[in-house]
Amino acid sequence: QVQLQESGGGSVQAGGSLRLSCAASGYSASRDCMAWFRQAPGKEREGVAHIATGPGSTYYRDSVKGRFTISRDNAKSTLYLQMNVLKPEDTAIYYCATTACSRLGQFRLLWTDLFRYDYWGQGTQVTVSS
């Protein structure tokens, strides 16, 4: 059983930075794709960033490109999301999730489809004030 635990959320002013972490336990090598999603009040959960095992294998939603960086430390079984130049519209609960890359289609283009991820963390709140 894979378990994911997020940390690092908090309240910051616009322009500030936060670093989210997601510690994985019971991790299976078959769960080689990981992602960050977020959900704002009254909105659907959306994919923020995605990473697979191997170099250069990252995807970002357009609104966070150049501001957010996803990374992973396989030795520590930990996923990270460095968030810089935060905006009020980044306010949401942030979730990490994992799945087998084979479930995400060719070139993992289906990485934003939350139903293709089978393990989720409980979420961490990020609040950005203007």
Side-chain angles (χ1 to χ4, degrees):
Q1 183 76 8
V2 176
Q3 292 186 324
L4 304 175
Q5 180 63 57
E6 303 93 339
S7 61
S11 297
V12 296
Q13 290 191 327
S17 298
L18 283 173
R19 188 194 195 202
L20 305 184
S21 298
C22 172
S25 60
Y27 188 75
S28 169
S30 65
R31 301 296 191 273
D32 48 352
C33 272
M34 300 191 76
W36 288 98
F37 285 76
R38 67 186 180 188
Q39 188 166 18
K43 294 188 176 181
E44 294 184 350
R45 193 170 297 189
E46 61 184 20
V48 176
H50 168 85
I51 189 168
T53 303
S57 299
T58 58
Y59 289 106
Y60 298 91
R61 70 178 300 105
D62 287 346
S63 62
V64 307
K65 285 180 180 178
R67 299 188 298 122
F68 291 10
T69 302
I70 188 171
S71 62
R72 63 193 292 175
D73 185 333
N74 292 327
K76 296 182 179 179
S77 297
T78 302
L79 178 72
Y80 302 99
L81 185 68
Q82 178 66 45
M83 304 186 295
N84 298 327
V85 195
L86 282 161
K87 303 176 181 180
E89 51 264 41
D90 295 318
T91 296
I93 299 175
Y94 283 70
Y95 301 88
C96 63
T98 187
T99 188
C101 291
S102 60
R103 299 188 67 192
L104 301 179
Q106 189 176 21
F107 305 119
R108 294 175 283 110
L109 294 179
L110 300 175
W111 72 270
T112 58
D113 184 348
L114 61 92
F115 297 104
R116 295 179 182 268
Y117 292 79
D118 44 12
Y119 291 101
W120 292 83
Q122 294 298 308
T124 185
Q125 176 71 48
V126 172
T127 303
V128 185
S129 58
S130 57

